[in-house]
Amino acid sequence: MSEQDEEGQSPPSENPTATATLQHPAKRGPVRLKLVVLSGPEAGKSYPLEPGQYRIGKDASCEIVLTEKTVSRLHLVLEVQEDRVIARDQSSRNGSFFEGRRFSELELGPGTVVVVGAVSVKVVAQDSRERPRLLSSRERFGGLVGRSRKMREVFTLLERLAPGTSDVLIQGETGTGKEVCAEAIHQESSRQKGPLVVVDMAGIAPSLIESELFGHVKGAFTGANSDRAGAFERAHGGTVFMDEVGELPLDIQPRLLRVLERRQVKRVGANDYRTVDVRVVAATHVDLEAAVKAGKFRADLFHRLAVLRVMLPPLRERPEDIPLLVDTVLQRMGRPPSALSEQTRAMLSQYPWPGNVRELRNVVDQVVNLGEEALPEMAEAPSKQRPAGPERELPFKEAKERLIDGFERDYLKGLLERCEGNLSRAAREAGIDRVYLRKLARKHGLVDDSRGAQED
């Protein structure tokens, strides 16, 4: 996270997004309000909001003091009137946010949650019996990183479910960290000393998925030259992580359901079932509820997988986490925060990140190794990546799919050009499975299977 200046503030020109004014429908009328702190060192404290002005910041002279390091000395001012509350950001270094968007002025009402730096606060009625759920004080959960309200809500949920034994379904867009989340759940559980076996459904040929999951006996099919334990047997005493479970063929889904319900597996070609002691963590970027309606995924399997669900937010919905993520990437590379200029950091914070955290990590890596001249295309990227023109009139889901398809096509085209068409090399550079890369390239017409693809 960027260090604050001497006064804990920045001139408005350094934070162009802070000039936007957001309107939020507040509940009018003579409702007495209070401000409740949901996260940070002062979590659980509440402050009555009588008519008047309240300064929020790190300085001891403020009426509401928040000592978290991302809060400026004078960060936010609340103007409490008889029928409404106006919040005005004081050109703070790390900004004030509402629903993921930075604001300079915002009307608050009962139930409104805003993020001050990285501290979440909520406006509630003074006579309300509501007990706001406190957010996790963590900035990290395993390899997951974030100070935003959305990520702290995720951490709160993970703190509760990780120590248990129930199966978990992780949902989120590509690049949001689903595998990292699964690893964190395993490490925070009582099974941490047992194996964590990863099965990537998207990276396995459909004809081999059954054998990979459940194993096979010698002679079960051509090429089965010996007995082989499947992922569930190999994960005995630990956790099996099924990535992209939405890719599981429909005819194999009943067998997975039996494993989940009875913890029994039968190898391909075998007659007997074997009992396994495993916890199942599954992940997908697919809308499984829509897949169920379309007849592509069994309803009973979906409900069995989704007893406990974790939804990882896309990076564009938590831009306040970008500085911390950038510093984390630099730290893992053994580089200091000064490896990136403030101008570059500002550009990174304004980019929409269709590839989420994975794309951010790759871009930081490129800039550090190739220099900041690798960024010019990104300066124009936000306008290119956001739906424009007729796409703004489309339903959200369709507009998002077009956006992601465009990103995938452009990203893969540039990647394959850099790697001279070598899929193995491209897969290593992109950090994804080669089979999955081929699948994406074929989807966008970037691989001519009639001539074959170059491998190494």
Side-chain angles (χ1 to χ4, degrees), residues 47-59:
Y47 302 86
L49 298 178
E50 302 294 341
Q53 197 172 79
Y54 298 81
R55 294 168 298 167
I56 299 177
K58 190 183 297 182
D59 195 280

Side-chain angles (χ1 to χ4, degrees), residues 74-337:
L74 177 56
H75 198 111
L76 193 70
V77 170
L78 300 182
E79 182 182 332
V80 182
Q81 303 174 8
E82 289 292 342
D83 59 348
R84 63 178 184 168
V85 177
I86 302 297
R88 295 187 176 90
D89 186 88
Q90 302 299 297
S91 299
S92 61
R93 167 68 71 179
N94 295 310
S96 302
F97 296 83
F98 171 66
E99 294 186 347
R101 294 178 58 195
R102 191 167 183 169
F103 68 85
S104 61
E105 183 174 307
L106 179 69
E107 183 173 340
L108 311 182
T112 304
V113 176
V114 296
V115 180
V116 181
V119 177
S120 295
V121 297
K122 183 175 184 179
V123 176
V124 300
Q126 281 198 36
D127 58 357
S128 171
R129 295 183 180 180
E130 174 187 5
R131 298 181 64 184
R133 178 166 57 92
L134 300 184
L135 300 182
S136 171
S137 60
R138 297 192 186 203
E139 293 183 353
R140 304 172 189 272
F141 192 93
L144 296 174
V145 176
R147 294 187 179 122
S148 65
R149 174 180 173 80
K150 286 182 178 289
M151 286 306 292
R152 292 194 177 193
E153 287 176 343
V154 170
F155 295 164
T156 300
L157 177 59
L158 291 176
E159 287 170 356
R160 294 178 180 178
L161 66 80
T165 59
S166 297
D167 298 335
V168 182
L169 176 64
I170 306 170
Q171 295 178 282
E173 295 178 7
T174 300
T176 49
K178 296 185 290 295
E179 184 170 351
V180 174
C181 182
E183 292 171 351
I185 291 172
H186 175 72
Q187 291 301 326
E188 295 273 341
S189 75
S190 59
R191 296 174 174 269
Q192 59 182 262
K193 294 183 179 179
L196 172 63
V197 177
V198 179
V199 185
D200 180 7
M201 297 290 101
I204 305 173
S207 60
L208 298 177
I209 287 180
E210 194 172 15
S211 172
E212 178 61 32
L213 288 175
F214 312 121
H216 63 255
V217 297
K218 181 178 179 180
F221 51 84
T222 302
N225 300 320
S226 61
D227 290 356
R228 182 175 185 272
F232 285 97
E233 287 186 62
R234 300 198 305 273
H236 185 76
T239 305
V240 60
F241 172 52
M242 299 180 61
D243 198 9
E244 295 303 347
V245 71
E247 302 290 333
L248 187 67
L250 199 58
D251 60 331
I252 299 178
Q253 292 178 22
R255 295 198 62 184
L256 175 59
L257 183 61
R258 182 184 181 95
V259 176
L260 296 177
E261 292 183 339
R262 302 189 182 185
R263 291 306 195 259
Q264 292 180 333
V265 297
K266 184 169 68 172
R267 294 183 180 182
V268 177
N271 296 318
D272 301 322
Y273 284 94
R274 299 167 183 250
T275 300
V276 292
D277 172 23
V278 295
R279 184 184 198 181
V280 178
V281 178
T284 182
H285 75 282
V286 173
D287 183 344
L288 288 186
E289 291 171 297
V292 169
K293 292 178 181 178
K296 297 179 180 179
F297 204 85
R298 289 177 61 109
D300 50 3
L301 178 57
F302 167 69
H303 292 301
R304 184 61 183 78
L305 283 170
V307 173
L308 295 177
R309 273 201 275 185
V310 179
M311 179 63 74
L312 296 181
L315 188 53
R316 64 182 172 276
E317 293 182 3
R318 54 184 187 106
E320 62 268 41
D321 286 337
I322 290 176
L324 177 62
L325 287 165
V326 169
D327 286 343
T328 300
V329 173
L330 291 173
Q331 183 181 26
R332 290 172 181 171
M333 295 174 66
R335 304 297 293 269

Side-chain angles (χ1 to χ4, degrees), residues 31-84:
V31 179
R32 300 181 65 188
L33 302 172
K34 63 182 176 182
L35 189 74
V36 179
V37 183
L38 300 180
S39 64
E42 287 73 39
K45 290 187 176 181
S46 63
Y47 302 86
L49 298 178
E50 302 294 341
Q53 197 172 79
Y54 298 81
R55 294 168 298 167
I56 299 177
K58 190 183 297 182
D59 195 280
S61 65
C62 292
E63 286 75 24
I64 299 175
V65 177
L66 301 177
T67 57
E68 213 274 341
K69 61 183 180 181
T70 62
V71 178
S72 295
R73 291 172 60 185
L74 177 56
H75 198 111
L76 193 70
V77 170
L78 300 182
E79 182 182 332
V80 182
Q81 303 174 8
E82 289 292 342
D83 59 348
R84 63 178 184 168

Side-chain angles (χ1 to χ4, degrees), residues 434-449:
R434 182 180 56 78
V435 176
Y436 183 53
L437 176 62
R438 178 190 284 275
K439 179 179 178 181
L440 288 176
R442 187 184 298 120
K443 168 185 172 184
H444 295 290
L446 300 175
V447 171
D448 185 355
D449 285 332

